[in-house]
Amino acid sequence: MSGSYKNVSKAQTAKHTEQSCRPIREVLNLVGDKWSILVVALLQDGTKRFSELQRSIDGISQRMLTRTLRELERYGLLTRRVEPTVPPSVYYTLTPLGQTLLVPVKALTEWAQTNYPKIQEAQQKFGKKTVN
């Protein structure tokens, strides 16, 4: 076994139960979908209208953006404000909880940008290996 595994604390190796894994699974389901991280990243600079978000995310449908925003609001990561104009103007802002998500989002983004060439290389090697 490699040396890095010898230093794993007992807390990290404790038996995983349905109860202990549920919060992790729910959060990963929320932020691990195709659009949530993009929405959170776009809101890092402040409040945006629905239409601004939709124009900024290439390929997202109005229905999917609405669904994503509702889920993020449901989990307390953003707030929704409706201005009574014609048509109504809808604004979205990260909550303090949502802003705390920016730290891991930025770290994951940097990791992906740094390591994507290595991932592509591994995919190519794997593809060649499975063909032979």
Side-chain angles (χ1 to χ4, degrees):
M1 193 177 271
S2 82
S4 64
Y5 289 106
K6 292 178 183 175
N7 297 326
V8 177
S9 71
K10 287 183 181 179
Q12 291 173 313
T13 59
K15 184 176 179 184
H16 294 283
T17 65
E18 171 66 25
Q19 186 176 1
S20 68
C21 292
R22 184 177 180 192
I24 297 165
R25 193 174 54 252
E26 283 190 28
V27 170
L28 287 176
N29 284 338
L30 173 68
V31 299
D33 73 46
K34 187 173 181 177
W35 306 112
S36 294
I37 295 297
L38 290 172
V39 169
V40 169
L42 285 169
L43 291 173
Q44 71 181 329
D45 296 326
T47 301
K48 298 227 182 314
R49 290 183 62 178
F50 182 92
S51 56
E52 288 178 276
L53 291 169
Q54 190 172 21
R55 280 192 304 270
S56 298
I57 304 174
D58 191 37
I60 194 167
S61 67
Q62 181 175 342
R63 179 179 179 271
M64 185 52 68
L65 179 57
T66 299
R67 210 167 128 195
T68 300
L69 291 165
R70 282 186 185 150
E71 279 298 295
L72 291 169
E73 182 180 15
R74 178 176 171 237
Y75 280 82
L77 300 176
L78 60 80
T79 58
R80 178 179 185 263
R81 179 174 49 98
V82 180
E83 293 290 324
T85 58
V86 178
S89 298
V90 184
Y91 296 91
Y92 295 90
T93 306
L94 288 178
T95 62
L97 178 61
Q99 289 187 10
T100 65
L101 184 56
L102 290 172
V103 173
V105 165
K106 287 177 183 178
L108 182 58
T109 301
E110 289 173 14
W111 181 89
Q113 289 172 338
T114 299
N115 292 292
Y116 192 67
K118 294 174 188 172
I119 292 169
Q120 287 180 309
E121 182 181 325
Q123 289 173 325
Q124 289 173 352
K125 285 180 183 176
F126 183 81
K128 288 176 185 175
K129 187 170 66 174
T130 58
V131 171
N132 295 330

